[in-house]
Amino acid sequence: MSLYPEFTTPRLKFRQFNINDDIEPVYQLFSDPETMRFDGGELMASRDEARDLIQAFSSFQAPAVRWAVVLRENNQFLGSCGYHHIDHYNQKAELGGELIRQYWRLGFAREGLFELLRFGFERMNFNRIEAWISPENRAAIRTIKCVPFQEEGYLRQCQRWGNHFVDMKIYSLIRRDWDMFHEQIKFSEPL
């Protein structure tokens, strides 16, 4: 398998990051306080940091893989998503992603989530996919509940974001539940 095989949905394309084209939108994404409020809280301060992040995303550094998410029709950069904390022995990983704020509430997160899960279970051979979400991130919780993720616990002050500690909810989806659910996913209409 290629390190970053492209895959698509009706509206989206998942591709490897491009150092020549993606610096400005990556900077826009990771320097927005509202976007980063639930993603570690650290704001990107320069385009040099965007370049460094793209280089990190573009070199396969197990245990992580990350794609740029763009519109299929015009290659407009929307955000990023992927897997981290990949554990090949136990066939599990944690998913994550971000969208530029102007693309929120248009169904892209849900559409992308379904295809990222399909890729994880069918092509990366995961048995378990986790999502760690701030309890305050209601949009992410609504998105994750579109699929039969199970809430497994509430971890108090388990991550440090900047100068404070935050709680996280942990959700999981296992292959058995995905197999029962994925036949219902239809991409013939925008989600």
Side-chain angles (χ1 to χ4, degrees):
M1 178 174 78
S2 167
L3 297 182
Y4 293 95
E6 289 187 357
F7 52 100
T8 62
T9 70
R11 298 186 296 169
L12 305 175
K13 178 167 71 171
F14 298 73
R15 64 160 172 79
Q16 186 169 0
F17 281 85
N18 182 318
I19 197 76
N20 297 316
D21 299 329
D22 295 339
I23 289 174
E24 191 59 37
V26 166
Y27 175 71
Q28 179 186 353
L29 178 65
F30 289 99
S31 65
D32 177 32
E34 187 65 20
T35 300
M36 297 309 293
R37 185 168 61 136
F38 298 120
D39 199 9
E42 297 291 325
L43 296 179
M44 194 170 277
S46 72
R47 285 160 183 80
D48 289 337
E49 288 182 40
R51 180 183 306 278
D52 293 345
L53 189 63
I54 290 169
Q55 287 173 337
F57 284 165
S58 297
S59 61
F60 186 71
Q61 297 180 358
V65 60
R66 196 83 169 177
W67 288 271
V69 181
V70 300
L71 285 174
R72 284 180 69 178
E73 68 183 33
N74 62 9
N75 254 354
Q76 176 66 42
F77 185 96
L78 303 180
S80 75
C81 70
Y83 291 106
H84 51 280
H85 301 123
I86 296 172
D87 178 342
H88 292 289
Y89 180 78
N90 290 302
Q91 295 175 260
K92 66 180 184 173
E94 182 182 338
L95 63 79
E98 309 81 20
L99 280 175
I100 291 175
R101 192 182 335 172
Q102 74 187 66
Y103 300 109
W104 292 2
R105 297 179 193 85
L106 299 174
F108 292 125
R110 182 176 176 214
E111 184 175 336
L113 172 64
F114 288 157
E115 197 59 31
L116 186 63
L117 290 169
R118 184 189 317 273
F119 189 89
F121 285 117
E122 295 177 8
R123 306 249 328 253
M124 297 185 80
N125 199 33
F126 293 140
N127 182 62
R128 174 185 169 93
I129 296 174
E130 298 176 353
W132 291 47
I133 303 173
S134 164
E136 298 173 16
N137 191 346
R138 289 185 290 275
I141 292 170
R142 275 192 312 273
T143 300
I144 213 81
K145 287 186 175 183
C146 292
V147 182
F149 272 86
Q150 298 294 312
E151 184 177 335
E152 292 188 337
Y154 190 98
L155 306 174
R156 299 180 326 142
Q157 296 189 1
C158 72
Q159 291 187 0
R160 183 176 176 166
W161 290 4
N163 61 0
H164 66 283
F165 292 91
V166 297
D167 300 343
M168 299 297 282
K169 285 185 172 184
I170 185 168
Y171 296 85
S172 72
L173 179 62
I174 59 174
R175 178 185 299 275
R176 178 186 66 223
D177 296 338
W178 171 257
D179 288 344
M180 290 189 311
F181 175 79
H182 87 281
E183 293 300 322
Q184 300 168 21
I185 298 171
K186 304 284 187 233
F187 286 116
S188 58
E189 311 171 11
L191 298 172

